[in-house]
Amino acid sequence: MDPRLPTLLTAPLSPRPVIEATYLDVLVRDGLPAGTGFSIALPRGWAVERTATAAPGPEAPLVPLARFHPGEPGAPGAAEGVELVVWAAFLPREMHGADWLRAWMRSQGYRELDFRQAPSPTGMMGDALAAGRHDGGLRLHRLLTVKDGDLLFLIDGRMMQGGPSRGGQADHRVMQEIVLLAAMRFRLAEPTGQTFAEGFEWTELKGAHAVRFLASGLWRETPGGYAPPDGASLVLDHVGPDGSTGRGSLIAVLGAAEATADAALADAAEIERTTLAKLANQGFTLSADAERVAEERTAERSILLHRRKARRSGTAMTILAARIALSEEAHSLPVCLILLSPDEDSAFEAWAINRRAFEIALSTVR
């Protein structure tokens, strides 16, 4: 990263007594579409304009809910020309808020200056500093996401750069502190409590023993897969809004019980090798090297996750393969989960949906 570029402000600069004296929690619900109300921390002297007439949906997937700005000349952020917009986005498919934010910034032509992500009960949320062209000048944005079911809320603070003629003094930290405090105290007025944007259902692999995991109800089960003796296999295809397939697949295979977790992991590795060999016979070109992404060992389960590149019919793809050993009192069960997906550079949205579905399956397999 260029050290001359601004970076994310990760903590308020003002002392706590100043913050407590300056900021108020404001409830913004009246006049907004049902289910989109929220409370937010704003500096004293700021004004609000409600801008939404309908909730986001398939026809209008992103709507601005409200715009906030200094309503008095001496209010914090007035000299810098700071304003803040809260948007609501409709998510037809489950994905991380961080992935949605990156895709949206690209669609707006923004340059990403700094980015971080943070875990939440509804996935990884995004926090970005970006720059974009506006009215012939450069505008700086601090962007943060909050997700609730199939709605994603985007907190978008912005200020023009370039001096008073371009919106005031160019101290981005003033804008960032206002937006950061707004996000830290952002609360939904009517949260749904739903974790996912789409329905996920328990899906079972049943051989001599059985395991289950959460899979999207929008993925279609198709024939195929390699099932070892006393095991089971399942292939789920990512189906697009138009009913098309070929956007990604999840292969799940259960092997026969073993006495130890190490033996079960060895079986899962063999299942992975056999499945990848079958994919190679079906026209996939697989990279020889696999990158180890994660490893987990607990009393209940052991996981080893690898990532490798692949190509099929000229399409660049990513394969995620997880070897899993689920330990029970008398035995350990080998499971292998394999994701086939277009890579993030060739089809970012499909990749984001596929990766999220894979992570949910992996985190819930039992």
Side-chain angles (χ1 to χ4, degrees):
M1 179 180 293
D2 189 335
R4 296 170 296 178
L5 295 176
T7 58
L8 284 168
L9 182 70
T10 58
L13 297 174
S14 300
R16 180 177 292 274
V18 173
I19 292 172
E20 292 177 351
T22 304
Y23 286 80
L24 297 171
D25 289 300
V26 178
L27 178 62
V28 186
R29 181 168 57 184
D30 294 342
L32 292 186
T36 63
F38 57 89
S39 65
I40 191 169
L42 296 171
R44 295 179 186 273
W46 273 49
V48 56
E49 299 175 16
R50 293 163 177 81
T51 53
T53 57
E59 300 302 320
L62 181 67
V63 298
L65 296 176
R67 173 178 172 265
F68 306 92
H69 57 89
E72 302 172 2
E80 294 80 10
V82 179
E83 67 173 18
L84 189 152
V85 175
V86 175
W87 306 76
F90 170 66
L91 295 179
R93 303 299 294 266
E94 172 64 22
M95 68 171 61
H96 289 299
D99 286 338
W100 182 94
L101 179 56
R102 276 209 153 110
W104 184 76
M105 288 193 299
R106 292 177 186 176
S107 74
Q108 301 301 302
Y110 291 170
R111 178 187 179 188
E112 180 183 305
L113 303 178
D114 200 2
F115 194 95
R116 65 175 181 170
Q117 53 187 22
S120 81
T122 58
M124 300 298 292
M125 295 299 105
D127 181 4
L129 192 65
R133 306 301 300 182
H134 180 74
D135 288 343
L138 187 66
R139 188 164 66 179
L140 193 67
H141 295 256
R142 176 70 183 264
L143 304 156
L144 302 101
T145 62
V146 176
K147 184 170 162 291
D148 179 52
D150 62 2
L151 286 183
L152 182 139
F153 295 82
L154 173 64
I155 302 167
D156 175 8
R158 66 270 292 264
M159 63 178 288
M160 296 297 295
Q161 294 286 279
S165 65
R166 289 295 185 187
Q169 304 165 17
D171 188 352
H172 64 89
R173 296 172 300 173
V174 174
M175 180 271 288
Q176 288 208 64
E177 181 176 68
I178 291 171
V179 181
L180 182 60
L181 286 166
M184 290 170 65
R185 287 159 60 173
F186 184 88
R187 300 290 185 273
L188 297 178
E190 302 170 280
T192 65
Q194 295 179 359
T195 302
F196 306 127
E198 60 193 85
F200 277 73
E201 305 165 351
W202 285 108
T203 301
E204 189 175 59
L205 280 173
K206 190 170 184 179
H209 296 83
V211 299
R212 62 177 186 161
F213 58 90
L214 284 176
S216 169
L218 299 178
W219 287 52
R220 180 186 302 159
E221 184 176 346
T222 60
Y226 154 72
D230 292 332
S233 67
L234 177 70
V235 179
L236 297 171
D237 281 340
H238 176 173
V239 180
D242 58 355
S244 62
T245 57
R247 298 164 60 91
S249 297
L250 176 64
I251 303 171
V253 184
L254 168 67
E258 292 285 359
T260 66
D262 286 341
L265 278 178
D267 281 2
E270 183 58 33
I271 292 170
E272 178 187 318
R273 282 191 290 270
T274 301
T275 304
L276 293 179
K278 289 181 176 293
L279 291 174
N281 290 334
Q282 295 170 13
F284 286 84
T285 302
L286 310 178
S287 64
D289 298 326
E291 173 193 0
R292 180 175 293 191
V293 177
E295 184 173 4
E296 172 190 322
R297 284 185 177 268
T298 67
E300 293 78 24
R301 66 182 197 169
S302 301
I303 296 176
L304 188 59
L305 177 62
H306 289 92
R307 172 178 177 153
R308 69 175 71 232
K309 296 179 180 179
R311 297 191 73 85
R312 189 185 193 192
S313 302
T315 300
M317 303 191 71
T318 294
I319 295 179
L320 295 177
R323 306 168 190 171
I324 308 160
L326 298 177
S327 298
E328 301 182 0
E329 289 186 6
H331 56 256
S332 190
L333 298 176
V335 180
C336 183
L337 296 179
I338 295 179
L339 174 71
L340 313 176
S341 175
D343 72 6
E344 55 189 306
D345 293 327
S346 61
F348 184 83
E349 182 180 359
W351 158 250
I353 294 169
N354 293 339
R355 182 182 65 165
R356 179 67 170 138
F358 177 82
E359 291 172 351
I360 291 168
L362 182 58
S363 66
T364 58
V365 64
R366 60 192 62 176

